[in-house]
Amino acid sequence: MADTLTITDNRTGKTYEVPITDDTIKAIDLRKIKVADDDFGMMTYDPAFMNTASCRSAITFIDGDKGILEYRGYPIEQLAEKSTYLETAYLLIHGALPTKDELASWQHTITHHTILNENFRHLIDSFRYNAHPMGRLISSMAALGTFYPESKEIFDPECRMKQMHRIIAKIITIAAFNYRSTIGMPYAYPDNDLSYTGNFLNMMFKMTEQKYKPSPVLERALEVLFILHADHEQNCSTNAMRAVGSSHVDPYSAVAAAAAALYGPLHGGANEAVLQMLTEIGNVKNVPDFITRVKSGEGGRLMGFGHRVYKNYDPRAKIIKQVAYEVFEVTGKNPLLDIALELERIALEDDYFVKRKLYPNVDFYSGLIYQAMRFPTPMFTVLFAIPRVSGWLAQWQEMLEDSDQKIARPRQIYTGARTLDYVAMETR
Ligand code: CMC
């Protein structure tokens, strides 16, 4: 059996043989299909990349029909149970789990890069008091790159790794300082005795105590949430990271672009939108009416439901639901939980959602946990971005080392006018 595809062009009667690799044909191989010798050749039309693989990748595996997610081959369930966020970030970026020494050195390096240049405070102070945390994060990330002009040396592996350390380390400080600035609290500086998540909680919530002691349950819950959000193969923001990075810009600028893609409500902004939706529904008894409105198209979408790839329960949502109960043991139950549970119960039985294979996704329950932990709702997408930088960076590095990759530059099918004559203003 030949690994080829035979295509007959019925316009010309000509037949073409196209190689198949990994169940895929190369779109560029279709260019030889022409009606006339001076034709451009055939292209594929695939808005939103519904059926186009843009890269070969060994980082994250998803089987959307079976609800499977693996990082570098390790099931997400095992990582969520046994790993830490920093170990998972190492796995994504280096491709293998670290040895004890490698992990100790990685943790030490990240921890010792959390501090920001003091000038950075002026930038944070200059935002308006109610500036959205994602707008702050996007611009802060781009600005951070200006402190490290050497970051342009993207093909120097040592220099590249140093920027990755800095980005993973400093994003928690940027997020926390921006929050403190919003509420007029003095900045709490990093504490190198604490874990990555413990330190983030410290910078967020430290009051006047000499030493902040994070709740072990909340610290671990955040680790799990960060592990679950660390990568998700070629989603919208990762695609932005790769596309922008393909111009060989520095990683700070590419991360800022990826964060901007994440901000939208159809992507990482959904966790914030879920909380707004649950708050608007307000009471369990209003749930059936809300579902009816969603189905008729009047109530918007059921936020936190549906996924381009998962046509089954998102495995991350299952784990998050469990974490929610553990967190609520410490914080008290989030009153919106009952509304979320009722929405899920009805939606999973309702024909509209069943037919379209719409299940809760990662964002459905995460917001409830973040709210119970006292994170303000507009910060939820920042909590998605913090761990996702390790995935973005792993994908960016893989792209730079992939000899198949070039600057991302799609084609178009031009539908506009041609060769018009310029019309003078007075005759328009
Ligand atoms: N509520 C109601 N109907 C929905 C929903 C929803 N959440 N999601 C999809 N549908 C319907 C949609 O109207 C369409 O129906 P029809 O065939 O009658 O026109 C059908 O399901 C297919 O939807 P689609 O928009 O073609 O699917 P997509 O793969 O382009 O969109 C999605 C995926 C995640 C953007 C979408 O499901 C959605 O908007 N969900 C709500 C937002 C959300 O929770 N986003 C977070 C995604 S997970 C984390 C992340 O990636 O950031």
Side-chain angles (χ1 to χ4, degrees):
M1 191 175 67
D3 276 344
T4 59
L5 180 73
T6 304
I7 301 169
T8 304
D9 185 345
N10 294 322
R11 298 172 302 177
T12 58
K14 278 193 201 157
T15 295
Y16 302 83
E17 190 97 335
V18 178
I20 301 175
T21 321
D22 300 317
D23 261 344
T24 307
I25 59 161
K26 287 191 175 154
I28 196 78
D29 287 343
L30 301 179
R31 282 274 276 281
K32 61 184 174 197
I33 302 178
K34 296 180 177 191
V35 173
D37 282 349
D38 59 352
D39 261 6
F40 183 74
M42 187 168 279
M43 297 191 298
T44 55
Y45 175 58
D46 190 13
F49 303 123
M50 296 290 286
N51 196 37
T52 293
S54 63
C55 62
R56 300 171 66 83
S57 181
I59 300 173
T60 290
F61 173 81
I62 301 177
D63 182 329
D65 292 324
K66 297 197 181 110
I68 295 173
L69 169 61
E70 294 167 1
Y71 295 159
R72 301 284 189 185
Y74 295 98
I76 194 67
E77 293 79 5
Q78 290 186 29
L79 293 168
E81 187 190 337
K82 299 180 177 141
S83 187
T84 60
Y85 165 64
L86 280 191
E87 185 185 52
T88 299
Y90 183 101
L91 172 68
L92 288 169
I93 288 171
H94 290 276
L97 284 170
T99 62
K100 200 173 168 195
D101 288 349
E102 284 166 345
L103 181 60
S105 154
W106 172 253
Q107 274 169 343
H108 181 272
T109 308
I110 304 283
T111 305
H112 286 79
H113 274 98
T114 46
I115 213 142
L116 290 173
N117 184 305
E118 277 296 287
N119 281 348
F120 212 84
R121 295 170 46 141
H122 303 306
L123 177 92
I124 292 173
D125 288 339
S126 67
F127 287 110
R128 196 159 180 255
Y129 71 96
N130 61 353
H132 193 281
M134 278 304 285
R136 287 167 169 266
L137 179 72
I138 294 163
S139 24
S140 299
M141 248 318 143
L144 187 62
T146 66
F147 288 81
Y148 308 109
E150 74 277 17
S151 63
K152 290 181 172 51
E153 303 302 326
I154 56 169
F155 290 108
D156 171 348
E158 209 177 306
C159 181
R160 193 163 69 202
M161 189 55 72
K162 186 155 200 178
Q163 310 319 315
M164 297 205 230
H165 295 153
R166 284 177 171 148
I167 291 170
I168 294 171
K170 293 183 202 302
I171 191 169
I172 49 172
T173 318
I174 287 175
F177 277 23
N178 270 297
Y179 166 66
R180 308 275 291 202
S181 157
T182 312
I183 56 165
M185 286 280 289
Y187 297 123
Y189 280 75
D191 178 345
N192 288 353
D193 295 340
L194 296 173
S195 70
Y196 185 80
T197 51
N199 192 15
F200 177 48
L201 290 170
N202 160 61
M203 290 191 279
M204 285 289 299
F205 300 122
K206 185 170 189 280
M207 301 298 284
T208 53
E209 64 272 40
Q210 280 292 311
K211 186 134 184 111
Y212 178 85
K213 284 204 189 75
S215 146
V217 175
L218 302 190
E219 192 180 0
R220 180 63 204 162
L222 211 48
E223 291 282 347
V224 176
L225 284 157
F226 281 5
I227 291 168
L228 299 181
H229 284 88
D231 194 51
H232 213 233
E233 52 115 311
Q234 307 312 313
N235 53 81
C236 178
S237 56
T238 302
N239 183 58
M241 180 81 194
R242 279 178 174 262
V244 173
S246 77
S247 75
H248 294 175
V249 74
D250 69 89
Y252 300 89
S253 305
V255 165
L262 188 74
Y263 189 4
L266 297 190
H267 191 11
N271 53 14
E272 182 182 346
V274 169
L275 247 282
Q276 280 157 2
M277 174 187 76
L278 295 176
T279 310
E280 269 164 40
I281 295 173
N283 195 302
V284 174
K285 69 176 182 353
N286 299 331
V287 168
D289 181 47
F290 177 76
I291 296 265
T292 309
R293 284 196 292 122
V294 167
K295 282 163 41 180
S296 69
E298 287 160 30
R301 292 197 160 190
L302 176 49
M303 298 312 283
F305 258 69
H307 199 277
R308 170 64 58 80
V309 180
Y310 292 120
K311 300 302 169 196
N312 196 326
Y313 215 99
D314 181 337
R316 302 168 298 174
K318 259 187 214 156
I319 302 168
I320 288 184
K321 201 170 167 186
Q322 180 55 36
V323 172
Y325 286 106
E326 289 161 17
V327 167
F328 298 159
E329 286 286 314
V330 177
T331 60
K333 193 175 90 178
N334 187 325
L336 297 175
L337 176 68
D338 291 336
I339 299 175
L341 288 171
E342 182 64 0
L343 267 179
E344 183 186 341
R345 191 187 66 76
I346 298 187
L348 292 182
E349 285 174 358
D350 191 295
D351 239 23
Y352 174 95
F353 296 90
V354 174
K355 258 202 212 136
R356 290 169 176 78
K357 299 189 173 160
L358 301 171
Y359 291 85
N361 59 48
V362 70
D363 291 318
F364 192 64
Y365 285 104
S366 59
L368 290 175
I369 305 179
Y370 292 141
Q371 189 179 57
M373 290 171 86
R374 292 200 295 123
F375 287 103
T377 310
M379 245 194 106
F380 292 176
T381 311
V382 173
L383 295 163
F384 191 153
I386 289 172
R388 184 54 63 87
V389 290
S390 57
W392 291 335
L393 291 167
Q395 300 269 354
W396 168 73
Q397 175 174 252
E398 184 177 66
M399 183 265 305
L400 291 177
E401 289 174 346
D402 180 351
S403 59
D404 279 357
Q405 292 294 339
K406 288 172 179 289
I407 187 164
R409 205 312 185 177
R411 293 282 174 173
Q412 64 168 8
I413 300 168
Y414 179 68
T415 61
R418 292 282 323 279
T419 55
L420 300 177
D421 279 326
Y422 182 79
V423 182
M425 182 64 77
E426 45 303 348
T427 58
R428 277 179 222 169

